[in-house]
Amino acid sequence: VGSRRGGDWGILGGVKSIILLLATALRFGGLDAQELSGDEAFSVLFSEPTPREILNGIVRGGEPHPPVYWLLLHGAMKAGGNSEFVARFPSAVASILTVVLVFALARRMFNSTVGLAAAAVVAANPFQIWYAQTARMYALSAALAVATTLALWTAFERDRWQHWVSYMLLTTAHAFEHYVALFVALAQGVWALLAWWRERRRLLHFALACLGVALLCLPWLVLVLPSLQTYYGNGDSPALGAMLVRCLRVFSLGKTMPPTTAIPFVIAFGLLFTLGLVRAARTDPQAAVLLALWLFLPLLGMWIASRREPVFSERYVIVAS
């Protein structure tokens, strides 16, 4: 996160440190205060066997989530045991990493002030903190969504092979961590076509990176497709408007505030979001388009998927928050 432009490691460096300390305190404070929930207990039980047994449970046992998180949790428990603290440790670290990556991305898109503001919002956000203290794959999915977007922005900006390889590998890792990564990649692809349609060289490099992702993921998708087709979901199928309001409320205020109490806050956050997007469009239209697509296309994708089966839940679209 260290800046090479403008030598801003004075006051701004101190603010960065405060934000990072705040994020760490909010995520590790009381990390083991609650006993494991049912889903968390399943995470621990599913990740305890050998990696080979974990992979077999995904391919043949019908587990709908890909292997990266399970293997990461397996390694954490192998090193530190299966206590509540250890089981939630990977999520807490991933959420802190999200704060760092959000700063880096917002700073690259706009400036250091915007980066600090964005990092502070994520550091104190109740929705992010909730899943930072949950032994599930959602906090890591959020971190990878920001990482892939930062890699993509940098790759188009600098057009060097190492940045395209970074984007390819991070996107592949995200796809192997949570399948909603495909909706994030779709948003990034639409942005690339809209924002860079005149830059054929860059678009060719992006297409090659996407082809690399497809080649790396395709064998796995062929293996798990039968089990995914039998998954009936444990979410719901909301109307489009209700889904958007729910997401705005939960993304802004977290999971615990009652909907009726949240109405004035949701209106306020909606206005702030609109003003922020307008300001972003005036400052850098490319950035504003990417941010809007990154928010709405994963939501729209999950909403369309929920028309067939009840698979929508706000936690699945934490990548858009």
Side-chain angles (χ1 to χ4, degrees), residues 138-151:
Y138 309 117
L140 180 58
S141 184
L144 287 169
V146 185
T148 60
T149 307
L150 176 59

Side-chain angles (χ1 to χ4, degrees), residues 93-114:
V93 172
S95 189
I96 294 170
L97 182 61
T98 299
V99 176
V100 175
L101 290 168
V102 162
F103 168 80
L105 177 62
R107 183 185 183 279
R108 186 169 291 279
M109 284 182 166
F110 302 106
N111 55 56
S112 294
T113 303
V114 177

